[in-house]
Amino acid sequence: MTEGDVMWQRKWVLGNWKMNGRLATIRTLLTELLPQIHDAQQVQLGVAVPTVYLQEVTECLSGSRIWSGAEDVSQFANDGAYTGETSAAMLADVGARFALVGHSERRQYFNEGNAVLRQKYQHCLSERVLPILCIGETLAEREADQDEAVVAQQLAILADLSLDSVVVAYEPVWAIGTGQVATVAQIAAMHAFIYSQILSLCGAGVKIRVLYGGSVNAQNAADILAVAHVDGALVGGASLQPDSFAAIIQAAQTAE
Ligand code: 13P
């Protein structure tokens, strides 16, 4: 089996730094993290970082097993008069291996919906930047018993794209940055649902990774990663602490 095949059977642990860090703190974080992850040969690793630091992070991580990635990508494909935007081609040019698409904070603060997100997703595919589609319901939607309907609607951008692989991060909005983690039963039910939706949208042959995100930390990672259909974690706050992030990676390395 090639390395390319094996990664679809591994656990994935991706960090999302959000709008945090400075050149100096980033260098310290990576310098402290890298020596701690030597044993984690069975985990697919990455960090999504602020675009302005992407090239620096890519250089710091060259030769390591950690991918650098972007937190967002432009809806526009081609160079042009789009002030402030960063295209998928630019991300690829500075070494990004993946990009988050549709993080709930983008949906909330920038009103990103399916039409824009489908464009972003397609531009990533065109430039061989792996899109990681982020989905998840709000607390009000869950309380109204709409969680599956919302997630199904968010996944609909995957229809008719002829995909042979899909990576989704399920991040219930109410669990992000709150310390309130979804229960094992809630995670298991939603991840099974997401798998079934992807299979029906993309066909039986598609390779799938579904990551959980929302207050994952060194203490709860092992329990979360042991849940059926949880193929990894997308980690916010704890990815800014090298010891915590390394402990989560270690939990993924030993997860069944
Ligand atoms: P926290 O881990 O800080 O809850 O953030 C999760 C997240 O949004 C990752 O994309």
Side-chain angles (χ1 to χ4, degrees), residues 213-237:
S215 298
V216 177
N217 59 36
Q219 286 70 43
N220 61 27
D223 288 344
I224 292 169
L225 290 164
V227 177
H229 297 112
V230 174
D231 303 317
L234 179 57
V235 184

Side-chain angles (χ1 to χ4, degrees), residues 14 33 68 90 106 140 177 190 210 233 242 255:
L14 305 181
L33 176 65
S68 61
M90 291 171 172
R106 303 289 319 170
M190 187 57 92
V210 181

Side-chain angles (χ1 to χ4, degrees), residues 26-42:
I26 285 169
R27 288 180 187 133
T28 306
L29 169 57
L30 295 177
T31 306
E32 291 179 11
L33 176 65
L34 285 171
Q36 299 190 56
I37 59 144
H38 282 313
D39 294 342
Q41 297 296 329
Q42 302 308 320

